[in-house]
Amino acid sequence: MNTLGTYLEKLRISYGYSLHAAARKCGLSHGYIRDVEKGVNRNNCSPLIPKPITLKKFAQAYNADFNVLMHLAGYSGDPVQDEFEFVEIELDLINYIRVNTYNEIEYHLDSEAHLEKKPLYDYLLLETKLEKFDFLRIESGLFVNLRQIKDLRFPERKIQFDNKCLTLTWVQYTKHNKILKRALEKNSSTEGQAPINTSTLIRKLTSFH
């Protein structure tokens, strides 16, 4: 089992990097990166284990723990505890996303919430992705899934989802009121909305603050 390659692939996907984007970040060829992810050198079909200096490039590009990569590559026998675990989330099930005061990204679903940290550049990539899938930017660092709105409560200025609600400021509510109402009308129609079935892979924090 290619544990290192699988881990590196998940790191890349969790930041939304294509192989070519990862190549630019790492300073390596996209073909080599894919070979490492598969764990096999395509030229001679032999097992492929990157050298420590190459693992350092992966760690810096993916904002990962170098010691974890060294352990997975077999250079270190001592296990290292990750500060995160990979979690796959369906975008359609997210109610809203916000960046909290600790600069952590909160993913709020009906029955759970997840925390993740991203560098600024990678957060901007996430914002671009969200705007393609019916997420409304309420303000910088706050996105609402228009497809999940079940009710709007005024004068409380609350957006009601299935089991959660989000309170907006007066300015936020007034500015986006028309868009929110249109989304509510669309969600309340007999036709409803077909699921988008698009998932995102995040690095859920296991320890924080």
Side-chain angles (χ1 to χ4, degrees):
M1 181 178 178
N2 179 27
T3 306
L4 173 64
T6 300
Y7 186 84
L8 287 171
E9 184 178 24
K10 286 183 176 180
L11 285 174
R12 175 174 64 81
I13 293 173
S14 70
Y15 274 163
Y17 296 160
S18 66
L19 285 169
H20 285 84
R24 291 192 295 271
K25 293 281 288 184
C26 296
L28 303 167
S29 74
H30 68 275
Y32 176 78
I33 291 174
R34 191 56 184 152
D35 285 354
V36 171
E37 292 177 352
K38 291 182 175 181
V40 178
N41 186 320
R42 74 180 68 185
N43 295 321
N44 54 27
C45 297
S46 62
L48 179 58
I49 306 256
K51 295 179 180 179
I53 190 171
T54 305
L55 292 177
K56 178 70 77 173
K57 292 181 179 180
F58 279 116
Q60 292 172 343
Y62 295 162
N63 195 33
D65 190 327
F66 174 66
N67 294 320
V68 171
L69 299 186
M70 287 289 287
H71 172 70
L72 293 175
Y75 292 111
S76 171
D78 298 327
V80 182
Q81 180 64 44
D82 257 340
E83 66 172 353
F84 62 83
E85 61 180 299
F86 293 109
V87 176
E88 189 173 20
I89 302 175
E90 289 292 334
L91 284 179
D92 219 27
L93 300 181
I94 297 173
N95 292 329
Y96 63 95
I97 297 174
R98 88 155 86 229
V99 178
N100 65 27
T101 55
Y102 298 97
N103 290 321
E104 298 160 346
I105 303 171
E106 303 174 356
Y107 297 85
H108 290 267
L109 290 77
D110 268 332
S111 59
E112 58 189 357
H114 302 294
L115 292 176
E116 180 183 37
K117 270 190 177 291
K118 282 184 185 292
L120 177 60
Y121 171 79
D122 300 295
Y123 174 70
L124 294 177
L125 289 180
L126 173 65
E127 285 193 333
T128 301
K129 182 177 183 179
L130 293 175
E131 290 174 343
K132 293 180 180 179
F133 292 105
D134 290 335
F135 279 78
L136 173 66
R137 184 204 300 263
I138 299 296
E139 64 176 12
S140 179
L142 178 59
F143 281 82
V144 167
N145 186 354
L146 295 175
R147 301 164 65 91
Q148 285 293 336
I149 296 175
K150 298 300 187 290
D151 195 13
L152 296 174
R153 293 159 54 187
F154 186 82
E156 297 97 330
R157 307 184 307 280
K158 291 183 183 294
I159 299 175
Q160 183 68 49
F161 306 102
D162 277 331
N163 298 320
K164 289 186 178 180
C165 64
L166 174 67
T167 303
L168 304 183
T169 66
W170 178 265
V171 173
Q172 292 170 343
Y173 191 89
T174 303
K175 179 179 179 180
H176 301 291
N177 183 255
K178 290 183 179 179
I179 297 176
L180 295 172
K181 282 185 174 180
R182 284 199 299 268
L184 176 59
E185 291 171 359
K186 188 174 183 179
N187 296 339
S188 302
S189 68
T190 54
E191 297 180 1
Q193 296 200 61
I196 57 175
N197 295 323
T198 299
S199 62
T200 187
L201 188 68
I202 71 167
R203 306 181 192 189
K204 178 183 176 182
L205 292 170
T206 55
S207 60
F208 44 91
H209 309 338

